Amino acid sequence: MSFVKGLQCRECGQEYPKEPLHVCETCFGPLEIIYDYEGIKKSISREKIASRDKNLWRYRELLPIDGEPQVGLYSGFTPLVRAPRLGEALGVKELYIKDDSVNHPTFSYKDRVVAVAISKAIEFGFDTVSCASTGNLANSVAAHAAKAGLNCYVFIPDGLEQGKIIGSAIYGPKTVAVKGNYDDVNRLCSEIGDKYGWAFVNVNLRPYYSEGAKTHAFEVAEQLGWKLPNHIVVASAGGTILPKLAKAFKELIKVGLIEDTGCKIYSAQAAGCAPIITALQKGTDWITPVKPNTIASSIAIGNPADGYYVVQAVRESGGWGESVTDEEILEGIKLLARTEGIFTEPAGGTEVAVAKKLVQKGRIPRDESIVISITGNGYKTLEAIARSVEKPFTINATLENFDELYKQLIPRMKAKAVGR
Ligand SMILES: *Cc1c(COP(=O)(O)O)cnc(C)c1O
Ligand SMILES: [Zn+2]
């Protein structure tokens, strides 16, 4: 049973049937899924959700598929980790990490959107799936396509980290590395999608795909005991996840699962690619595209398709946004690893460093509940951090050799114990 009523243009409100459409024919606005919320309210309950498997389909009434889910049966329901040591480092009282770095099967938030998009692609009868990606999306599309037995083409900018390239190739897709940046890839993919008629998860299936991002927020609310956090910080690239967190919280209120206690949403970007933060801080609606130059390649989108909606959602929530330098991003990665034992990629380093900056600037108060969304995994981007960590101490296999080394290490360990 599906509660999807159809698609609707976000700009002019024109309605469309449930088809693989993504732009309005009249005004070129993006299309959005609309639901029968009254029907959902009557059907859904906290108990019903709690009785279901711990994956993202436990919120299926609020997801845009008609039949049974086809993929993603182990995706989502990632840990919401209480983070007291990082909290102490940031000087805040109640801090949590929503840890999508351990999402199944490809270790980023993208497994949420892809699970929904590929389930929908199968319902529509596509036999070939594809995407324009900065890396994580390609990994996830390739893995889900393999599981579902679909043909797969993934498009990425050339020069990505090895972990992201091999992390797609292993599943057997055709990977096309396009000379240029993500924005060049994306432009090309719109043309390829039109010509070849494939299911491009983030182009022609975008309205379905983006709905999967809501599950990140549904889980945060459920894991907090059906409550909103006061603040949530998340990275913005193309601008999919952030507005969908806002939509998800509103939906939970609308269908009676939580109370509206307000949640401020904050966007995090790298200084080397911060078109959304620039617009937010200048107070304009207009996103000026930039040419990305940052180690945070998974969020290096200079011309974000949904940037406008990020700005709107942040403002409406009462939140804000900040950007941080590559150096601060590396510090953010290390800080999270050394306080909470979680290894994230530069996008996650951005999320931590921006949270820190927002607290320091007084944008986020120190005594309210804060969630930092960690959207990707550090094991895929070893190059980014390799030079910033200590090398192993190489010794011969003798006790003497170790004794000697240990003597040198003791003063350092003491200093660390005091410094922490
Ligand atoms: C894609 C991605 C994001 C956010 O991208 P949006 O396009 O704004 O949804 C954040 N972190 C990581 C690691 C990503 O791969
Ligand atoms: Zn329209």
Side-chain angles (χ1 to χ4, degrees), residues 108-110 134 136 235-241 298-299 345 347 351 375-376:
S108 84
Y109 118 76
K110 296 301 196 302
T134 54
N136 283 320
S236 297
T240 299
I241 187 169
S298 61
I299 52 169
E345 63 150 277
E351 287 155 338
T375 44

Side-chain angles (χ1 to χ4, degrees), residues 9-14 16 24-29 31:
C9 174
R10 289 196 67 154
E11 294 307 318
C12 73
Q14 177 155 342
Y16 293 86
C24 176
E25 283 169 7
T26 327
C27 77
F28 302 105
L31 303 184

Side-chain angles (χ1 to χ4, degrees), residues 78-84 95-99 223 340 342:
T78 58
L80 181 76
V81 179
R82 187 77 209 245
L95 182 66
Y96 304 86
I97 298 297
K98 176 60 176 169
D99 191 7
Q223 289 166 319
E340 296 300 333
I342 293 169

Side-chain angles (χ1 to χ4, degrees), residues 340-370:
E340 296 300 333
I342 293 169
F343 183 16
T344 187
E345 63 150 277
T350 308
E351 287 155 338
V352 171
V354 163
K356 183 176 171 186
K357 196 164 175 180
L358 289 164
V359 171
Q360 278 170 349
K361 289 195 162 183
R363 287 273 175 184
I364 298 182
R366 295 174 186 272
D367 58 349
E368 297 185 0
S369 62
I370 306 165

Side-chain angles (χ1 to χ4, degrees), residues 116-348:
V116 174
I118 295 202
S119 279
K120 198 66 205 176
I122 295 168
E123 283 187 359
F124 281 138
F126 285 101
D127 64 4
T128 302
V129 294
S130 189
C131 66
S133 172
T134 54
N136 283 320
L137 182 59
N139 297 168
S140 188
V141 168
H144 282 93
K147 176 83 172 150
L150 298 166
N151 303 320
C152 181
Y153 291 80
V154 298
F155 294 83
I156 52 174
D158 65 343
L160 279 190
E161 301 95 341
Q162 281 284 312
K164 297 269 173 71
I165 297 169
I166 296 168
S168 293
I170 190 63
Y171 304 109
K174 296 294 168 230
T175 304
V176 184
V178 178
K179 289 179 189 162
N181 58 35
Y182 173 82
D183 300 290
D184 301 308
V185 178
N186 192 43
R187 206 172 333 103
L188 173 64
C189 285
S190 297
E191 293 177 45
I192 295 172
D194 285 345
K195 179 162 175 188
Y196 289 81
W198 298 336
F200 266 88
V201 299
N202 59 334
V203 184
N204 51 348
L205 292 189
R206 195 173 180 86
Y208 303 91
Y209 156 96
S210 60
E211 287 289 286
K214 295 188 306 190
T215 60
H216 184 96
F218 293 155
E219 290 171 16
V220 167
E222 183 182 354
Q223 289 166 319
L224 285 173
W226 294 109
K227 275 196 332 221
L228 289 176
N230 299 125
H231 309 273
I232 186 165
V233 182
V234 70
S236 297
T240 299
I241 187 169
L242 192 148
K244 291 291 172 165
L245 301 187
K247 182 179 181 189
F249 290 145
K250 281 188 196 161
E251 287 182 340
L252 292 180
I253 295 161
K254 218 179 285 186
V255 302
L257 287 170
I258 58 171
E259 263 181 68
D260 185 4
T261 48
C263 175
K264 295 181 178 168
I265 309 181
Y266 303 82
S267 171
Q269 292 202 296
C273 184
I276 293 171
I277 303 305
T278 303
L280 261 174
Q281 296 190 345
K282 274 192 186 157
T284 72
D285 285 344
W286 190 251
I287 310 278
T288 309
V290 300
K291 219 178 156 90
N293 178 20
T294 168
I295 56 164
S297 54
S298 61
I299 52 169
I301 296 184
N303 189 12
D306 290 321
Y308 170 82
Y309 298 105
V310 174
V311 171
Q312 302 308 311
V314 166
R315 280 196 197 129
E316 199 190 319
S317 78
W320 188 238
E322 277 295 345
S323 60
V324 285
T325 64
D326 283 1
E327 209 167 300
E328 290 172 299
I329 290 170
L330 293 173
E331 283 307 310
I333 294 174
K334 286 199 277 186
L335 182 61
L336 179 63
R338 287 164 192 199
T339 54
E340 296 300 333
I342 293 169
F343 183 16
T344 187
E345 63 150 277

